[in-house]
Amino acid sequence: NAGVTQTPKFQVLKTGQSMTLQCAQDMNHNSMYWYRQDPGMGLRLIYYSASEGTTDKGEVPNGYNVSRLNKREFSLRLESAAPSQTSVYFCASILRSGQNYEQYFGPGTRLTVT
Amino acid sequence: RKEVEQDPGPFNVPEGATVAFNCTYSNSASQSFFWYRQDCRKEPKLLMSVYSSGNEDGRFTAQLNRASQYISLLIRDSKLSDSATYLCVVTSLNYGGSQGNLIFGKGTKLSVKP
């Protein structure tokens, strides 16, 4: 049981390049999330997918697209990377039981855009 | 007013000290509350949920005051291994309607010294 996995762990891009961050979970969770974390800003929600086949914008969606490929996988794409997208990206999946939540995070992708 | 506010710290305390973290939230409709712990360059991990009646887990005690929209975390007998950033988390109805996605505070950094 690997939990939430993310690839790659590190990436350096030049401005204008594109890339896809991959995320997978093996816990059969319905909901999956992409966050970015910047110094002094905390974790901010980019996009989420409440269930397979649905995706919605979070707090900071501009410059990103997502795909919920199946129940396990939720990818984040940067079509034309900008220096402002330098950040640590975390994928997460959530288990809900009534008002109880347990959110599992992947180890993160450290992205630098030059 | 930001949805979740925390004192950023850092809190520098000696081993064995008692330390308290506070958090306020702006959305009175928030239903669920949590404390997460994040070690340097690692993903956040759930520390404990916060219940209206208050709850304790070993050296950790969490309290919720819905009237004041205030959450606290008390750590007794601090250990070196408690050094981390502590994130206050509440559910938000801004994203996902009734789903209640999680909104993270920016975190309070704790450093426990020998």
Coordinates of all heavy atoms in Angstrom, one line a residue, chain A residues 11 13-19 21 35-38 44 46-47 60-65 76-89 109-114:
Chain A
Q11 N 11.9 19.0 -10.6 CA 11.9 19.4 -12.0 C 12.4 20.9 -12.1 O 12.0 21.7 -11.3 CB 10.5 19.2 -12.5 CG 10.4 19.5 -14.0 CD 11.1 18.4 -14.9 OE1 10.8 17.2 -14.7 NE2 11.9 18.8 -15.8
L13 N 12.3 23.8 -15.1 CA 11.8 24.1 -16.4 C 12.2 25.5 -16.8 O 12.5 26.3 -16.0 CB 10.3 24.1 -16.4 CG 9.5 22.8 -16.3 CD1 8.0 23.1 -16.2 CD2 9.8 21.8 -17.4
K14 N 12.3 25.7 -18.1 CA 12.5 27.1 -18.6 C 11.1 27.7 -18.9 O 10.1 27.0 -19.2 CB 13.3 27.0 -19.9 CG 14.8 26.6 -19.7 CD 15.5 26.8 -21.1 CE 17.0 26.6 -21.1 NZ 17.6 26.0 -20.0
T15 N 11.1 29.0 -18.8 CA 9.8 29.7 -19.0 C 9.3 29.3 -20.4 O 10.0 29.3 -21.4 CB 10.1 31.2 -19.0 OG1 10.5 31.6 -17.7 CG2 8.8 32.0 -19.3
G16 N 8.0 29.0 -20.4 CA 7.3 28.6 -21.6 C 7.3 27.1 -21.9 O 6.5 26.7 -22.7
Q17 N 8.1 26.3 -21.2 CA 8.0 24.9 -21.4 C 6.7 24.3 -20.7 O 6.2 25.0 -19.8 CB 9.2 24.2 -20.7 CG 10.5 24.4 -21.6 CD 11.7 23.7 -21.0 OE1 11.9 23.6 -19.8 NE2 12.4 23.0 -21.9
S18 N 6.4 23.1 -21.1 CA 5.2 22.5 -20.5 C 5.6 21.2 -19.8 O 6.7 20.7 -20.1 CB 4.1 22.2 -21.6 OG 4.7 21.3 -22.5
M19 N 4.8 20.8 -18.8 CA 5.0 19.5 -18.2 C 3.8 19.1 -17.5 O 2.9 19.9 -17.2 CB 6.2 19.6 -17.2 CG 5.9 20.2 -15.9 SD 7.1 19.8 -14.6 CE 6.9 18.1 -14.4
L21 N 2.6 16.9 -14.0 CA 2.9 16.3 -12.8 C 1.9 15.2 -12.6 O 0.6 15.3 -12.7 CB 2.7 17.3 -11.6 CG 3.9 18.3 -11.4 CD1 4.0 19.2 -12.6 CD2 3.6 19.1 -10.1
Y35 N -2.4 21.0 -4.6 CA -2.0 22.2 -3.8 C -0.7 22.7 -4.3 O 0.2 21.9 -4.7 CB -1.9 21.9 -2.3 CG -3.2 21.5 -1.6 CD1 -3.5 20.2 -1.5 CD2 -4.0 22.5 -1.0 CE1 -4.7 19.8 -0.8 CE2 -5.2 22.1 -0.3 CZ -5.5 20.8 -0.2 OH -6.6 20.4 0.4
R36 N -0.4 23.9 -4.1 CA 0.9 24.5 -4.2 C 1.2 25.1 -2.8 O 0.4 25.6 -2.1 CB 1.1 25.4 -5.3 CG 0.2 26.7 -5.3 CD 0.6 27.6 -6.4 NE 1.9 28.3 -6.3 CZ 2.4 29.0 -7.2 NH1 1.8 29.2 -8.4 NH2 3.6 29.6 -7.0
Q37 N 2.5 25.0 -2.5 CA 3.0 25.6 -1.2 C 4.2 26.5 -1.5 O 5.2 26.1 -2.0 CB 3.3 24.5 -0.2 CG 3.6 25.1 1.2 CD 3.9 24.0 2.2 OE1 4.4 23.0 1.9 NE2 3.4 24.3 3.5
D38 N 4.0 27.8 -1.1 CA 5.0 28.8 -1.3 C 5.4 29.3 0.1 O 4.6 29.4 1.0 CB 4.5 29.9 -2.2 CG 4.1 29.4 -3.5 OD1 4.9 28.9 -4.3 OD2 2.9 29.4 -3.8
R44 N -2.2 26.2 -0.9 CA -3.3 26.8 -1.6 C -3.8 25.8 -2.6 O -3.0 25.2 -3.3 CB -2.9 28.1 -2.3 CG -2.6 29.2 -1.3 CD -2.2 30.5 -2.0 NE -1.0 30.4 -2.8 CZ -0.5 31.3 -3.6 NH1 -1.3 32.4 -3.9 NH2 0.6 31.2 -4.2
I46 N -5.3 24.3 -5.9 CA -5.2 24.7 -7.3 C -6.5 24.1 -8.0 O -7.3 24.9 -8.6 CB -4.0 24.1 -8.0 CG1 -2.7 24.5 -7.2 CG2 -3.9 24.5 -9.4 CD1 -1.4 23.8 -7.7
Y47 N -6.6 22.8 -7.9 CA -7.8 22.1 -8.5 C -8.1 20.9 -7.6 O -7.2 20.4 -6.9 CB -7.5 21.6 -9.9 CG -7.8 22.5 -11.1 CD1 -6.8 23.4 -11.6 CD2 -9.0 22.5 -11.7 CE1 -7.1 24.2 -12.6 CE2 -9.3 23.4 -12.7 CZ -8.3 24.2 -13.2 OH -8.6 25.0 -14.3
V60 N -6.4 29.0 -6.7 CA -5.4 29.5 -7.6 C -5.3 28.6 -8.9 O -4.2 28.1 -9.2 CB -4.0 29.7 -6.9 CG1 -4.1 30.8 -5.9 CG2 -3.6 28.3 -6.2
P61 N -6.3 28.5 -9.7 CA -6.3 27.6 -10.9 C -5.6 28.2 -12.1 O -5.2 27.4 -13.0 CB -7.7 27.4 -11.2 CG -8.4 28.7 -10.8 CD -7.6 29.2 -9.6
N62 N -5.3 29.5 -12.2 CA -4.8 30.1 -13.4 C -3.4 29.5 -13.8 O -2.5 29.5 -13.0 CB -4.8 31.6 -13.3 CG -6.2 32.2 -13.3 OD1 -7.1 31.5 -13.6 ND2 -6.2 33.5 -12.8
G63 N -3.3 29.1 -15.1 CA -2.0 28.6 -15.6 C -1.9 27.1 -15.5 O -0.9 26.5 -15.8
Y64 N -3.0 26.4 -14.9 CA -2.9 25.0 -14.7 C -4.2 24.3 -15.4 O -5.2 25.0 -15.5 CB -3.0 24.7 -13.2 CG -1.9 25.3 -12.4 CD1 -2.1 26.5 -11.8 CD2 -0.6 24.7 -12.3 CE1 -1.1 27.1 -11.0 CE2 0.4 25.3 -11.6 CZ 0.1 26.5 -10.9 OH 1.1 27.1 -10.2
N65 N -4.0 23.1 -15.7 CA -5.1 22.2 -16.1 C -4.9 20.9 -15.4 O -3.8 20.5 -15.1 CB -5.1 22.0 -17.7 CG -5.6 23.2 -18.4 OD1 -6.7 23.7 -18.1 ND2 -4.8 23.8 -19.3
L76 N -1.7 17.1 -13.1 CA -1.7 18.5 -13.2 C -0.7 18.9 -14.3 O 0.4 18.5 -14.3 CB -1.2 19.1 -11.8 CG -1.1 20.6 -11.7 CD1 -2.5 21.2 -11.7 CD2 -0.2 21.0 -10.5
R77 N -1.2 19.8 -15.2 CA -0.4 20.2 -16.3 C -0.2 21.7 -16.3 O -1.1 22.5 -16.1 CB -1.1 19.8 -17.6 CG -0.3 20.1 -18.9 CD -0.7 19.3 -20.1 NE 0.1 19.7 -21.2 CZ 1.3 19.2 -21.5 NH1 1.9 18.4 -20.7 NH2 2.0 19.6 -22.6
L78 N 1.1 22.0 -16.6 CA 1.4 23.4 -16.8 C 1.7 23.5 -18.3 O 2.6 22.9 -18.8 CB 2.7 23.8 -16.0 CG 2.6 23.9 -14.5 CD1 2.4 22.6 -13.8 CD2 3.9 24.6 -14.0
E79 N 0.9 24.3 -19.0 CA 1.0 24.4 -20.5 C 2.2 25.3 -20.9 O 2.9 25.0 -21.8 CB -0.3 24.9 -21.1 CG -1.5 23.9 -21.0 CD -1.3 22.7 -21.9 OE1 -0.3 22.7 -22.7 OE2 -2.1 21.8 -21.8
S80 N 2.4 26.3 -20.2 CA 3.4 27.3 -20.5 C 4.0 27.8 -19.2 O 3.4 28.8 -18.6 CB 2.9 28.4 -21.4 OG 3.9 29.4 -21.7
A81 N 5.0 27.2 -18.7 CA 5.4 27.5 -17.3 C 6.0 28.9 -17.2 O 6.6 29.5 -18.1 CB 6.5 26.5 -16.9
A82 N 5.7 29.5 -16.0 CA 6.2 30.9 -15.7 C 6.9 30.8 -14.4 O 6.6 30.0 -13.5 CB 5.0 31.8 -15.6
P83 N 7.9 31.8 -14.2 CA 8.6 31.8 -12.9 C 7.7 31.8 -11.7 O 8.1 31.3 -10.6 CB 9.5 33.0 -13.0 CG 9.7 33.2 -14.5 CD 8.4 32.7 -15.1
S84 N 6.5 32.4 -11.8 CA 5.6 32.5 -10.7 C 5.1 31.1 -10.3 O 4.4 31.0 -9.2 CB 4.4 33.4 -11.0 OG 3.7 32.9 -12.1
Q85 N 5.3 30.1 -11.1 CA 4.8 28.8 -10.8 C 5.9 28.0 -10.1 O 5.7 26.8 -9.8 CB 4.3 28.1 -12.1 CG 3.1 28.7 -12.6 CD 2.6 28.1 -13.9 OE1 3.3 28.0 -14.9 NE2 1.4 27.6 -13.9
T86 N 7.0 28.6 -9.8 CA 8.0 27.9 -9.0 C 7.4 27.7 -7.6 O 7.0 28.6 -7.0 CB 9.3 28.8 -8.9 OG1 9.9 28.9 -10.1 CG2 10.3 28.3 -7.8
S87 N 7.4 26.5 -7.2 CA 6.7 26.1 -5.9 C 6.9 24.7 -5.6 O 7.6 23.9 -6.4 CB 5.2 26.4 -6.1 OG 4.5 26.3 -4.9
V88 N 6.4 24.2 -4.5 CA 6.3 22.8 -4.2 C 4.8 22.4 -4.4 O 3.9 23.1 -3.8 CB 6.7 22.5 -2.7 CG1 6.6 21.0 -2.5 CG2 8.1 23.0 -2.5
Y89 N 4.6 21.4 -5.2 CA 3.3 20.9 -5.5 C 3.0 19.6 -4.7 O 3.8 18.7 -4.8 CB 3.2 20.7 -7.0 CG 3.2 22.0 -7.8 CD1 4.4 22.6 -8.1 CD2 2.0 22.7 -8.1 CE1 4.5 23.8 -8.8 CE2 2.1 23.9 -8.8 CZ 3.3 24.4 -9.1 OH 3.3 25.7 -9.8
T109 N 6.3 17.6 -5.3 CA 7.2 17.8 -6.5 C 7.7 19.3 -6.3 O 7.0 20.2 -6.2 CB 6.4 17.7 -7.8 OG1 6.0 16.4 -8.0 CG2 7.3 18.1 -9.0
R110 N 9.1 19.4 -6.3 CA 9.7 20.7 -6.2 C 10.0 21.2 -7.6 O 10.9 20.6 -8.3 CB 10.9 20.6 -5.3 CG 10.6 20.5 -3.9 CD 11.7 20.1 -2.9 NE 11.2 20.2 -1.6 CZ 10.3 19.3 -1.0 NH1 9.9 18.3 -1.7 NH2 9.9 19.4 0.2
L111 N 9.3 22.2 -8.0 CA 9.4 22.7 -9.4 C 10.1 24.1 -9.4 O 9.6 25.0 -8.6 CB 8.0 22.8 -10.0 CG 8.0 23.5 -11.4 CD1 8.7 22.6 -12.4 CD2 6.5 23.7 -11.8
T112 N 11.1 24.3 -10.2 CA 11.7 25.6 -10.4 C 11.5 25.9 -11.9 O 11.9 25.2 -12.8 CB 13.2 25.5 -10.0 OG1 13.3 25.1 -8.7 CG2 13.8 26.9 -10.2
V113 N 11.0 27.2 -12.1 CA 10.9 27.7 -13.5 C 11.9 28.9 -13.6 O 11.8 29.8 -12.9 CB 9.5 28.1 -13.8 CG1 9.4 28.6 -15.2 CG2 8.5 27.0 -13.5
T114 N 12.8 28.8 -14.5 CA 13.8 29.8 -14.7 C 13.5 30.7 -15.9 O 12.7 30.4 -16.7 CB 15.2 29.2 -14.9 OG1 15.1 28.4 -16.1 CG2 15.6 28.3 -13.7

